[in-house]
Amino acid sequence: MTEWSAVTTDATRLLRRNGFSGGALALLLLAIAPPTAGAHGFAAPLAWWLLLAFCLLPLALSVHLLFDAALFRLAGSHEDEAVGLAAIDDVLARMGLRARDGASAPLAMRLAGCRRLLWLQRISLAIAVALYIILLIDAMDGACLC
């Protein structure tokens, strides 16, 4: 296995794992929040809308990460880095997501973009969990279950 295929395989694995786990956590929050946190109290209207937004954002980012994983898998199926990156650019151009400009972005830039998406997903999930905790505390009227 060449260094090129090892890097793309690792990137594919990381992106798929984070895409599925982040999306599952966002769906879990959306599923358990209404029955457990209720819709009562002062913080409810704004917090519910924010919770919805901060759960839909990681879902959208999860889809983007899974799409990037598929693109890296496609690139990894080629033996040469330049050919693999050109294949990604070709797919994006055929889908109308990027114009063909002739210059292909290097692998390091593409991986840096994926890392930014991962951090954005993690931050939005952390905010969603914090909002869920606020809603849960508000629904219990501040009482501790301990």
Side-chain angles (χ1 to χ4, degrees), residues 7 11 14-15 18 61 64-65 68 72 107-123:
V7 169
L14 175 76
L15 293 174
N18 283 290
L61 291 171
H64 194 299
L65 290 172
D68 284 349
F72 278 115
L107 181 63
M109 284 182 59
R110 294 174 193 259
L111 291 175
C114 291
R115 277 189 221 101
R116 282 190 298 270
L117 288 175
L118 284 172
W119 277 110
L120 184 59
Q121 181 193 39
R122 290 173 183 162
I123 290 169

Side-chain angles (χ1 to χ4, degrees), residues 12 23-24 36-37 39 58 60 71 73 76 81 84 88 96 103 109 115 130 133:
T12 301
T36 58
L71 289 175
R73 184 173 180 193
E81 180 177 352
I88 290 176
M109 284 182 59
R115 277 189 221 101
I133 291 170

Side-chain angles (χ1 to χ4, degrees), residues 23-110:
L25 180 60
L27 286 175
L28 179 69
L29 281 173
L30 284 174
I32 66 169
T36 58
H40 311 291
F42 173 73
L46 177 62
W48 280 106
W49 283 110
L50 287 173
L51 180 67
L52 178 66
F54 281 105
C55 284
L56 291 179
L57 179 63
L59 280 175
L61 291 171
S62 293
V63 171
H64 194 299
L65 290 172
L66 292 173
F67 179 68
D68 284 349
L71 289 175
F72 278 115
R73 184 173 180 193
L74 169 71
S77 67
H78 294 83
E79 289 297 321
D80 186 34
E81 180 177 352
V83 176
L85 295 177
I88 290 176
D89 291 336
D90 183 49
V91 168
L92 293 174
R94 287 181 186 202
M95 293 179 73
L97 298 174
R98 183 178 293 165
R100 291 181 199 243
D101 59 358
S104 183
L107 181 63
M109 284 182 59
R110 294 174 193 259

